C-alpha cells in the first residue's frame, strides 16, 4: 500500500469516526433537551404531590368489601379487617395505602390499569365513597 493510498484510507476512516461521534452528540443533545422540557415524561410519569395523594380516599377494610377487593395487587397479600385501603377515584382499584403510596409518589397512574389517577390539567372531583 502506497503512502497516498494509506492517507486516503486514513482520511476516510477519520471522517467516518467523526461523523459517528457528531451523530451521537446530536442524539444526546436532543434527548437531554426533551428530558429537560418534560416532553419524554408525560403526566403519568410524574408523581403525585403530597396534597393530591392525601386527598385520595382511604377506607378501612371490612367484610363487606371482600366481594370487590380480596388481595392487594402490589404485595399480593390478602386484606384483613381494619387495614387501610386506598381506592383510586377514576378506576376504583383498591390497594394497601402503604403499597400504592410508594408507587404514586413516582407515578401518577394506577398500577393495575395505568389510567391517570387525576386529570392532568383541570383537576378531578374525587369520589369519597367506596364502591361495593
Amino acid at each position: 500500500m502506497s503512502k497516498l493510498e494509506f492517507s486516503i484510507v486514513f482520511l476516510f476512516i477519520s471522517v467516518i469516526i467523526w461523523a459517528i461521534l457528531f451523530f451521537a452528540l446530536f442524539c444526546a443533545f436532543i434527548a437531554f433537551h426533551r428530558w429537560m422540557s418534560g416532553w419524554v415524561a408525560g403526566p403519568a410519569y410524574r408523581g403525585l404531590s403530597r396534597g393530591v395523594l392525601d386527598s385520595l380516599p382511604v377506607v378501612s377494610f371490612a367484610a363487606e368489601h371482600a366481594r370487590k377487593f380480596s388481595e392487594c395487587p402490589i404485595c399480593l397479600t390478602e386484606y384483613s379487617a381494619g387495614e387501610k385501603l386506598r381506592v383510586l377515584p377514576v378506576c376504583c382499584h383498591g390497594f394497601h395505602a402503604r403499597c400504592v403510596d410508594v408507587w404514586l409518589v413516582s407515578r401518577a397512574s394506577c398500577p393495575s390499569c395505568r389510567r391517570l389517577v387525576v386529570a392532568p390539567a383541570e383537576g378531578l372531583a374525587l369520589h369519597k365513597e367506596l364502591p361495593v
Side-chain angles (χ1 to χ4, degrees), residues 73-88:
I74 296 174
C75 68
L76 302 176
T77 305
E78 288 189 10
Y79 298 123
S80 59
E83 284 187 313
K84 301 291 185 207
L85 271 62
R86 189 171 301 279
V87 180
L88 303 182

Side-chain angles (χ1 to χ4, degrees), residues 13 30 48 64 68 72 92 111 119 122:
I13 291 174
I30 295 298
L48 297 179
E64 64 265 10
K68 176 112 172 118
C72 177
C92 296
E122 61 271 354

